[in-house]
Amino acid sequence: MAKEYAVPGAIARKNEAMIRKRLSSVGLAAVANAMGVAESTVCRMKDADDKDGKSQIQRWAAALEAMGLKCVPVHFQCFDQKEIEALFTLAKGRIERMESAAELVWDDE
């Protein structure tokens, strides 16, 4: 389930910042090529509209937040928080019962 944030739009702002940062580092041409559009189209997407002052990037960032999604770099890995908490609980329980590091040694005999 999506995490609830105290400030509505916080994830949208982070999404927008991530998109803009990556767009500037990758370049308009590479993104336009990947989308199959002209570089000028991508440039217009990042500029604010005259109607409401929002860019297409801002609109998509807000849409991602509304769907409970966020932008992260491709090298990040996602883990279920409940699974990680369960692993920590198991590990903590085992470590608390240990009296020394010698108990970590695995004997094959």
Side-chain angles (χ1 to χ4, degrees):
M1 193 99 263
K3 183 176 179 180
E4 296 297 324
Y5 285 83
V7 180
I11 294 298
R13 285 189 296 280
K14 288 181 180 182
N15 284 340
E16 179 188 1
M18 177 63 73
I19 293 167
R20 289 184 183 278
K21 181 178 178 181
R22 291 298 172 140
L23 183 58
S24 68
S25 67
V26 172
L28 295 176
V31 173
N33 186 45
M35 294 175 67
V37 298
E39 199 172 324
S40 60
T41 301
V42 177
C43 188
R44 282 192 304 275
M45 290 175 69
K46 67 183 194 122
D47 294 335
D49 288 344
D50 290 334
K51 301 177 216 170
D52 62 0
K54 292 185 178 182
S55 68
Q56 288 297 318
I57 290 175
Q58 287 173 303
R59 288 188 184 94
W60 276 107
L64 289 171
E65 180 182 33
M67 293 183 282
L69 301 172
K70 63 181 178 180
C71 296
V72 296
V74 72
H75 66 276
F76 278 23
Q77 295 181 5
C78 299
F79 300 96
D80 184 297
Q81 184 175 353
K82 289 181 181 178
E83 288 180 20
I84 299 299
E85 288 172 1
L87 289 171
F88 279 132
T89 300
L90 290 170
K92 184 179 176 185
R94 176 69 176 130
I95 289 172
E96 285 176 348
R97 290 191 301 269
M98 292 176 57
E99 294 182 14
S100 73
E103 294 181 50
L104 293 173
V105 176
W106 184 272
D107 291 323
D108 287 334
E109 299 172 19

